[in-house]
Amino acid sequence: MENGAVYNETTEPQAKPSRRAFSCTLRHLRGWRLPAKVIQAILSLVAVICEEIVEDCIKCGGLYFFEFTSCSAFLLSILILCVYCTNAYETFGEDKVQRV
């Protein structure tokens, strides 16, 4: 009798948990963290919109810097919300998410 035959009869493959492509979960952003990230995304989007309203400026260096920082804050806050509120957190692993 082969060793493989014994193990084939007694073991069953583990069922993989079903994953939906865009499942949403709030277990990684609990308490005050979720409302804080949502407010951050909304305020940074408002900042981008307000910056785009300005038509004329004399010295535009500060305005361009504000545009860059507000747009970067908006994109990064949306990225954080997407990673922590979808199954991407489990897909990448906690150590890789924390490193990034």
Side-chain angles (χ1 to χ4, degrees):
M1 197 171 183
E2 263 182 48
N3 287 338
V6 173
Y7 290 116
N8 286 336
E9 292 175 0
T10 59
T11 58
E12 295 180 11
Q14 290 183 343
K16 294 184 179 181
S18 64
R19 287 190 168 176
R20 295 181 296 179
F22 295 106
S23 64
C24 185
T25 179
L26 300 178
R27 70 179 145 206
H28 300 296
L29 285 177
R30 292 186 182 154
W32 60 271
R33 291 174 57 191
L34 178 64
K37 286 297 171 190
V38 170
I39 289 171
Q40 179 184 5
I42 291 170
L43 290 177
S44 59
L45 178 64
V46 168
V48 170
I49 292 170
C50 288
E51 185 277 326
E52 291 298 327
I53 291 174
V54 175
E55 293 179 9
D56 295 323
C57 63
I58 297 171
K59 294 185 178 183
C60 297
L63 186 64
Y64 293 147
F65 180 72
F66 179 74
E67 177 183 12
F68 171 75
T69 55
S70 60
C71 185
S72 298
F74 175 68
L75 293 176
L76 289 174
S77 62
I78 293 296
L79 177 68
I80 288 171
L81 282 173
C82 288
V83 168
Y84 279 99
C85 292
T86 61
N87 61 0
Y89 190 83
E90 285 90 14
T91 303
F92 296 133
E94 183 179 353
D95 58 337
K96 290 182 182 177
V97 171
Q98 295 296 331
R99 195 177 323 146
V100 170

